[in-house]
Amino acid sequence: MKRIGIVGAGSIARTHADRIKKMPGIELAGYYDIFPEAAQRAVEQYGGKVYPSLDALLDDVNYVDICTTANAHKEPVLAALEAGVPACVEKPLARHLADCYEIVEAQARTGTPLFVAQVVRYFPQFAAAKAALDRGDIGAPGVIRTVRGGSAPGGGGWGSASSARSYYNDFDKSGGVILDVSIHDIDYQRWCFGEVERVFARGLRFAGKNPKDHALISLRFENGAIGHIEGSWAYPPGLWRTRIEMAGTAGLIEWDSLDQQPVEWRIQPDADSQPSSGTASPLIDADDPYYRELAHFMDSVENDKPQGVTAYDGLMAVKISLAAIESERRGEAVRVRDYEEKL
Amino acid sequence: MTTNVKLGFFSFAHMHAVSYARSAQNMPGVEIAGIYDANPAKGEEWAEKLQTRFFASADELLAENLDGAIICAENVHHRPLVEACAGRVGAILCEKPIATTIADAQAMIDICAKTNTKLQIAFPVRYSPPIRHLKDQLDAGSLGEIYSAKCTNHGSMPGGWFIDQKLAGGGAVIDHTVHVIDVLRWFWGAEVTEVYAEIGDSLLHPDLGIDDAGLLSFQLSNGVYGTLDTSWSRPKSYPTWGDVKIEVLGANGLIRTDAFAQHIAVSSDAAGKTQWPGWGSNADAGLVADFVGMIREDREPSITGYDGLKALEVALAAYESARTGKPVQI
Ligand SMILES: NC(=O)c1ccc[n+]([C@@H]2O[C@H](COP(=O)([O-])OP(=O)(O)OC[C@H]3O[C@@H](n4cnc5c(N)ncnc54)[C@H](O)[C@@H]3O)[C@@H](O)[C@H]2O)c1
């Protein structure tokens, strides 16, 4: 039985723990969090123990799953790499580009496996679209458009960790909607269409609407293809949407989360009560995207295969995201290759 | 009794002419006096189908005492035809884009002003009921402060003169920028002040030789920002020709509109694919009815030559932005 420990016991850690509990051959060893109460609550729900320090956790596990906030990724990642404990780290790889360079360097030097949890690559519909592209169903890459959006964090659906609201609303920590949300699309589009030449963005980041944020991003890929991304923390409460559209020289792929769902209901239990409605798109456990990414991470370590999302991929996703924020700030296109973050 | 209105068609190069002609023929008291087309075979074919006469020159058709001229020529031929018609008809409906250069557009506006000819530009999207519904909600202020407009006007690659730079003045960007920019200007009475564009030449159709993909990022004078995808990205196997979709985000929420969502799905073995015939109200008919109404009531055009020029200006700015790699101020 292999053991995995979680660093940072917040909302995404809950999603991960839920999947880990369903996996054969892996035991959830426990948690380390700078707030021991958070680790304690997680242990009560998912088992394992509360570790008194990061080192104590790293000493006691085969894998580490780093679920701290973006501004707190670097320290535990570097510690895991130096300790030789294969690590999964939540996106974004780090809040700042310099931290990403340090992580990439340490990973190359130590050779410790590092997986960046760009989970969208493991969403079945996104993976299916990539597979169709790779099969040549739509010909060569042309125009890719994706959407990822909901309401402002804290407006619902972001878990109950009291720290989360202030984290997402604090641009210095989270990087706003582009670094937190659109980074998924940036990584996905780069995975599908290749390296990005330049980026241009408009949005709400510098419009004084915090906690709302919104961005419309244009990408130009090195192969000449074009990308568009909408990222939203400004939709009305209750609306969450993702969408894929990929046009090539010989076809088109589309999928939209607002399309008809496999299960939809509207039920009025009796004549006097308010009807309630809902939808579901159920999958078996092993097809769940978070299950898939974590299983892939551990399987790749086990079988000495390359990680599906490398430290360099994580770095590039951060670099393009920060370049997009810089474009939004400056009102100009930013060349990704030349971009360096000024702090 | 409605007064009779006599219309002449000047070129069927743009196939919207067919839809405009059928719309006109469905209106009581509207007569199509004839069709002029530089290509006699095409002109004669459509004259026969629409049971009207073919004229071998614009001049002969203009001798028919027309009340209105409908011009559906290739983009570069809009100007000479408007110049031929101005002063000889009371009103002109000119297909979009108004022209391929600002100088041509201005010359068309000027000659119509000088000869007291009403010039209307064909932006049928303004007559689409879903788009009008969006405008009504915007006018009512239901969204509160408006943040952004995310738009697409996708299409299929039209071929023919549309991909000839000399006749069309450009590809997907000039073809599909103007409709949506026109309705955004109409929604808010605001102008586009800045455009950045990524444009792809032969990106979706290898060796096409003209732009077939375009992504504009714009800023409006009322503070609203947005994007518009003009790409000819709908393949032959797609169920329909394209789309007009506008999503407006504001402080109070989001309104999503899809002007052509009112369709059924028909899967036909004969066609070899599924198709989406529309059942929504015909926006072209709304445009023609407004044009005929303008003639009858002697009112000013609801979509002016200036509207046509301002929309064209944005398309031309997009090309300039793609050339320079910089946002272009208008
Ligand atoms: N892939 C996804 O779909 C997805 C969804 C949500 C969040 N995330 C990512 O997960 C990460 C965490 O987000 P969240 O919503 O769970 O945040 P959260 O605030 O709910 O949880 C973060 C936890 O980390 C702890 N922490 C902070 N610094 C620490 C440190 N130095 N050492 C140990 N613990 C520390 C906090 O006390 C908190 O309990 C972010 O990087 C976010 O981008 C990904």
Side-chain angles (χ1 to χ4, degrees), chain A residues 22 39 54 68 81 116 124 204 209 268 300 314 317:
Chain A
K22 292 171 178 158
L54 179 60
T68 52
L81 294 177
V116 185
L204 291 182
K209 304 291 180 197
Q268 185 181 31
S300 302

Side-chain angles (χ1 to χ4, degrees), chain B residues 157-287:
Chain B
M157 200 279 286
W161 63 265
F162 287 91
I163 58 172
D164 183 338
Q165 177 73 33
K166 290 189 300 296
L167 293 173
V173 170
I174 199 164
D175 191 32
H176 278 184
T177 294
V178 292
H179 284 296
V180 170
I181 294 300
D182 176 67
V183 293
L184 297 181
R185 293 182 61 253
W186 177 58
F187 287 164
W188 293 305
E191 297 297 348
V192 173
T193 56
E194 186 190 277
V195 185
Y196 175 84
E198 293 292 355
I199 297 180
D201 284 322
S202 313
L203 180 59
L204 294 158
H205 308 85
D207 305 321
L208 190 68
I210 204 160
D211 55 292
D212 57 2
L215 178 60
L216 280 64
S217 176
F218 54 82
Q219 181 71 51
L220 298 177
S221 56
N222 62 347
V224 173
Y225 61 90
T227 52
L228 168 60
D229 188 335
T230 68
S231 306
W232 290 334
S233 53
R234 271 45 199 164
K236 288 192 281 294
S237 48
Y238 200 67
T240 191
W241 61 272
D243 65 36
V244 173
K245 293 184 186 178
I246 301 178
E247 299 187 9
V248 182
L249 179 66
N252 300 345
L254 177 72
I255 303 178
R256 302 196 298 135
T257 46
D258 177 347
F260 296 94
Q262 291 158 310
H263 63 74
I264 57 170
V266 177
S267 298
S268 152
D269 289 345
K273 64 174 191 176
T274 299
Q275 288 169 297
W276 291 343
W279 50 260
S281 302
N282 183 348
D284 289 348
L287 171 77

